[in-house]
Amino acid sequence: MAKSKTIINAKKQSYISVPSQIINSLSSSSLQSLLVSPKRSSSGSFFLVSKYTCRSPKVWFFALFLFGLVGMLRLGWNVNTLILFSPDPDPCLQTQQNIDTIGQNHDSSVVSASNLGQPPHHSDEELGEFWKQPDGMGYRPCLDFSREYRRASEAIVKGRSKYLLVVVSGGISQQRNQIVDAVVIARILGAALVVPILQVNVIWGDESEFSDIFDLAHFKSVLEDDVRILSSLPSTHVMTRPVEERRTPLHVSPQWIRSRYLKRINREGVLLLRGLDSRLSKDLPPDLQKLRCKVAFQALKFAPPILELGNKLAQRMQSKGPYLALHLRMEKDVWVRTGCSPGLSKEYDELIQDERRRFPVLLTSKSNMTYHERKLAGLCPLNAFEVTRLLKALGAPMNARIYWAGGQPLGGKEALSPLTREFPHFYNKDDLALPGELEPFAKKASFMAAIDFIVSEKSDVFMPSHGGNMGHAIQGQRAFSGHKKYITPNKRHMLPYFLNSSMPEAEFNSIIKELHDESLGQPELRSSKAGRDVTKYPVPECLCNDVRSHSV
């Protein structure tokens, strides 16, 4: 979880103190393709056959051979098949025509179930067991709201007296969670929501605004029947001093929200909320749960430039068949915060321990436990060696193409060497992007994380090395998209077998597979996981397998 920030962009600060700043509207410009199709070579001239050449039997034999070859081609033999089965493993080295078409027809939302790009279809027999998708049991999106909810909507979206301002913080996935809660809180209060302000990230220096990352027009359009969304406060409330609330406790109910804020926002007209992370209860009435899904899976669409480039990179990974996406949580701050050791060398272990001693506030997990206790409890990220062994046990082929998302790991490339030795077709966005494509996003951590999100979500198989907001968001999105394969490492139960060096490899693989039989993205009922977020477990509130249910 990103550290809470205290520094806010000066422009936004004035807007919060005296909310007169108008949030920038969405730019309609799209990222222009940096690729130019090569000129086609001119066609060659016809063979000129003299009367003397025609008399040669060899020439006639050659002519018959060419005639037969042309006939075979006309009967349907596809020359492109040669390209698909080319031995070149690099997905970037495609024909120029394929590259030029990347991003075409991909102006749809990366977080909309009906618009998600699907990988090329291959049968399980062709691809092998590892790429087999889980049984979705017929679950489909069903965001049909109750009659009472729809009846109340007209008054709420036409309201002109109450306005909610929110400041959201953290990384992009943490911000997404808070934006979802902000919409629901606005609905509970019957207030219009001013476009959320993204707090400046002092760690990454990212000053991006909402409309830089998300498609604002789409956000407003999708939610127009649920909550009124405004780019700025109206002139009647510009000079109103907002009621500011910083002390919202964790997991509050709609009743608490109303009792705490309703009178104040009715009186003052404007309410400002900060630090929304995990403030709203995960157990809400059905209509509000559906609204959470609607925001997370349909309204929060990435801005066109991000979406275009993310789709390009995903298509480059898809160009030669299925691919696996790994979210590797191996950055220095992750090891510090979790109280775990990277297992690279004594030098790196001491570096992490020293950082933890100097900044004990960074340790966010079970500070009374030793490292070994955390490890055995499944609270530590998997390192590259453990990820490699798990993938091999689950049957990932050595020629599997892997996209890895996340920041640079502690230890650099050497930290990834166990993976790259076993799975050499290993790429990230820097490997896939052509010169200049990432340059507009180079200093925007949120943009880079969004690109990782897109490519990971579109993968055939996804696996995180540790929990976290991005992994949770992708888990829910893949469920909403038809339960695409999502491997949840069963760390607590599998690690004792990792420590048993005398166990035969075949026995180890069999045990690991059995431990993960029910952790491959199958439908999981949230009703059996009270307190869990519906945007991670959308069944049964947002997904139904009743054919009579209204599908979105």
Side-chain angles (χ1 to χ4, degrees), residues 245-261:
E245 179 59 70
R246 296 172 180 252
R247 299 181 297 276
T248 305
L250 295 172
H251 309 307
V252 297
S253 66
Q255 292 76 18
W256 190 96
I257 294 287
R258 293 189 188 94
S259 64
R260 176 80 176 185
Y261 300 139

Side-chain angles (χ1 to χ4, degrees), residues 390-502:
L390 174 58
L391 289 176
K392 290 176 67 177
L394 293 177
M398 290 185 64
N399 65 350
R401 296 162 53 259
I402 298 177
Y403 178 87
W404 71 276
Q408 288 299 318
L410 178 68
K413 291 184 178 179
E414 184 62 27
L416 297 174
S417 60
L419 265 165
T420 55
R421 280 196 301 266
E422 295 289 340
F423 300 99
H425 307 316
F426 198 76
Y427 314 95
N428 68 359
K429 50 187 171 291
D430 295 307
D431 301 316
L432 295 171
L434 298 174
E437 282 186 315
L438 287 177
E439 188 175 344
F441 311 103
K443 297 183 179 179
K444 301 286 188 179
S446 296
F447 285 49
M448 293 297 202
I451 290 170
D452 273 345
F453 188 104
I454 294 170
V455 184
S456 296
E457 205 292 317
K458 289 179 177 291
S459 66
D460 296 80
V461 180
F462 177 82
M463 187 181 88
S465 66
H466 192 51
N469 290 303
M470 178 173 166
H472 293 170
I474 291 179
Q475 179 175 341
Q477 181 63 62
R478 291 177 78 85
F480 201 76
S481 305
H483 289 93
K484 295 193 293 182
K485 190 168 185 177
Y486 182 106
I487 300 172
T488 304
N490 193 338
K491 291 184 288 185
R492 186 165 63 88
H493 290 102
M494 76 182 187
L495 285 175
Y497 298 102
F498 276 67
L499 299 175
N500 186 351
S501 58
S502 63

Side-chain angles (χ1 to χ4, degrees), residues 280 478 541:
L280 187 60
R478 291 177 78 85
E541 288 95 338

